[in-house]
Amino acid sequence: MNYKSTIGLEIHTELKTKSKMFCSCKNDPDEKHPNVNICPVCMGHPGTLPVINKEAVRKVIKTGLALNCQIPKKSKFDRKNYFYPDLPKDYQISQYDMPFCKEGFLEIGTSTSSAQAKRIRITRIHLEEDTGRLVHPKGEDNSLVDFNRAGIPLMEMVTEPDLESGKEARKFAEEFQLILRYLGVSDADMEKGQLRVEVNISLSKGQKLGTKVEIKNLNSFRTVEKAIDYEIERQTEVLKKGKKVVQETRGWNKTKQATFSQREKEEAHDYRYFPEPDLPTIDLEKEFIQEIKAEIPELPQKKRERLTREYNLDEKVVEIFTFNKDLGEYFEKVMSEFRNWVKEIEIKEKVGKDEFLKLTKLATNYIITDLQGLLGGALVSGEDFLISPENFAEFVTLIYKGKISSKIAKIVLEEMFKTGADPSHIIEEKGLTQLTDTGEIEKIVKEVISKNPKVIEDYKKGKENALQFLVGQVMAQTRGRAKPEVVNRLLKESL
Ligand SMILES: [Zn+2]
């Protein structure tokens, strides 16, 4: 019989606010110079008083609402007392028994419909302040401390132990990150430490849960998945040998691709929590919560379902447009341009559903492959991006109508990307229109034939790729302006 793994996550997120949690210091995670964004409040000088950052509260509640949490009417801050060199006050203002959000859930699933999704319960989401950062200069026997980070609003989300594998945990964390980005509450960049995932994992056979092991300092989603899978294997081995799993905190060794013991659990920490005497209890008014609720945009899962329903897109494409939010929005703008265009010509030529699907497919292919290639990581919402959705729709329409070949399309798109000009203009100016005059193509065909007697011989001996070579030659001569099918036909006729 196999052991069942029970996994819970704790995720800390630095919120994107202008100022810190309890003072007006700048919240700038990119500040390289140490100890510039500090003041007597976040340094815990005697006589100073904290002031609650309302925007941080809004962002926590927004996250809670997006994760189906209950928002209690009353909430308060508490002091969590402990000593560490990166904690200037010797205590952290956090929330103990009255967090802003509790009892929510997030559904994770592979499919674009929520029917097969698994519900992961969320215990609570609370707000606290971040600590400073210790720096250990190489080869020196001292440590330095940078307090720029001290007092930055930090949101902590805790799940129930509803996860069962590394893959599930990774999926949950990735979806959580995506939701935070949709909500605009944080950039949630793991490499920058804006999103920190901690894992609690235990193995058991019966109803009774096994000994809990904590894994910390995981700096990518891949690592989260790998560390959990490694722990499941390691703990299974320990238990199979009849030994006991030690309750401890473990880290991840990247070189060894293994977890390692960091410290065994001494006694449970006594943080001597008590209500923060310098801050009032918070009464959350209904209107305030309604206002925040109204600001929540369409969330990733809803978007997946809608994109599938409205545009008949493949699961892979849906995932790309959901993950790259602004690329998805651009795609939808292009599609709405098509709708206008289709309406215009519908009366004359009747554009059927299949035709519309063809247009959609062309547009997605060019956006995902060619456009993303040109962007090279930049965003379509960026200032330097010049192609309007209208021009992009026209561009795709020209390909759809056979006015330009795929080869010419590449040239046109590159030019659009550089200058922002509209595609018809580029085609005209550069003389890239499709060659429709068969006489002209025939002339080139004859020329190519006379120049390649050896290839003609090969072709007559039955070598199929000889013909392909000749088509290529003619296409090159016309600079890609001839239709390959026409060239093919004319060549065969002449041979
Ligand atoms: Zn400050």
Side-chain angles (χ1 to χ4, degrees), residues 49 205 263 300 382 459 495:
L49 287 171
K205 260 185 178 164
R263 60 168 188 272
Y459 174 71
L495 290 167

mmCIF file of all heavy atoms in Angstrom, residues 49 205 263 300 382 459 495:
data_model
loop_
_atom_site.group_PDB
_atom_site.id
_atom_site.type_symbol
_atom_site.label_atom_id
_atom_site.label_comp_id
_atom_site.label_asym_id
_atom_site.label_seq_id
_atom_site.Cartn_x
_atom_site.Cartn_y
_atom_site.Cartn_z
ATOM 1 N N LEU A 49 4.626 56.539 15.425
ATOM 2 C CA LEU A 49 3.369 55.804 15.334
ATOM 3 C C LEU A 49 3.106 55.327 13.908
ATOM 4 O O LEU A 49 3.346 56.069 12.955
ATOM 5 C CB LEU A 49 2.206 56.701 15.783
ATOM 6 C CG LEU A 49 2.096 56.988 17.283
ATOM 7 C CD1 LEU A 49 1.035 58.055 17.525
ATOM 8 C CD2 LEU A 49 1.775 55.722 18.062
ATOM 9 N N LYS A 205 -0.726 6.767 6.154
ATOM 10 C CA LYS A 205 -1.448 5.633 5.578
ATOM 11 C C LYS A 205 -2.923 5.701 5.931
ATOM 12 O O LYS A 205 -3.783 5.448 5.114
ATOM 13 C CB LYS A 205 -0.851 4.320 6.082
ATOM 14 C CG LYS A 205 0.075 3.732 5.052
ATOM 15 C CD LYS A 205 0.602 2.386 5.455
ATOM 16 C CE LYS A 205 1.484 1.852 4.348
ATOM 17 N NZ LYS A 205 2.317 0.740 4.784
ATOM 18 N N ARG A 263 16.998 22.985 9.860
ATOM 19 C CA ARG A 263 16.984 22.956 11.330
ATOM 20 C C ARG A 263 15.815 22.106 11.808
ATOM 21 O O ARG A 263 14.750 22.094 11.221
ATOM 22 C CB ARG A 263 16.907 24.371 11.908
ATOM 23 C CG ARG A 263 15.680 25.134 11.484
ATOM 24 C CD ARG A 263 15.530 26.408 12.315
ATOM 25 N NE ARG A 263 14.238 27.016 12.015
ATOM 26 C CZ ARG A 263 14.048 27.883 11.027
ATOM 27 N NH1 ARG A 263 15.042 28.254 10.257
ATOM 28 N NH2 ARG A 263 12.853 28.385 10.805
ATOM 29 N N PRO A 300 -8.517 34.687 -14.739
ATOM 30 C CA PRO A 300 -7.970 33.743 -15.733
ATOM 31 C C PRO A 300 -8.903 32.592 -16.133
ATOM 32 O O PRO A 300 -9.068 32.332 -17.328
ATOM 33 C CB PRO A 300 -6.714 33.216 -15.051
ATOM 34 C CG PRO A 300 -6.302 34.284 -14.109
ATOM 35 C CD PRO A 300 -7.545 34.979 -13.686
ATOM 36 N N GLY A 382 3.291 47.891 -24.778
ATOM 37 C CA GLY A 382 4.406 48.821 -24.615
ATOM 38 C C GLY A 382 4.307 50.014 -25.555
ATOM 39 O O GLY A 382 3.630 49.971 -26.572
ATOM 40 N N TYR A 459 14.608 15.661 -63.185
ATOM 41 C CA TYR A 459 13.146 15.649 -63.032
ATOM 42 C C TYR A 459 12.534 14.584 -63.940
ATOM 43 O O TYR A 459 11.658 13.824 -63.537
ATOM 44 C CB TYR A 459 12.575 17.028 -63.371
ATOM 45 C CG TYR A 459 11.057 17.034 -63.383
ATOM 46 C CD1 TYR A 459 10.327 16.914 -62.182
ATOM 47 C CD2 TYR A 459 10.343 17.139 -64.575
ATOM 48 C CE1 TYR A 459 8.951 16.896 -62.181
ATOM 49 C CE2 TYR A 459 8.964 17.124 -64.586
ATOM 50 C CZ TYR A 459 8.267 17.008 -63.387
ATOM 51 O OH TYR A 459 6.902 16.992 -63.386
ATOM 52 N N LEU A 495 7.291 21.412 -68.943
ATOM 53 C CA LEU A 495 8.242 20.292 -68.980
ATOM 54 C C LEU A 495 7.650 19.124 -69.799
ATOM 55 O O LEU A 495 7.332 18.103 -69.346
ATOM 56 C CB LEU A 495 8.586 19.864 -67.554
ATOM 57 C CG LEU A 495 9.450 20.897 -66.805
ATOM 58 C CD1 LEU A 495 9.497 20.584 -65.318
ATOM 59 C CD2 LEU A 495 10.868 20.945 -67.361
#
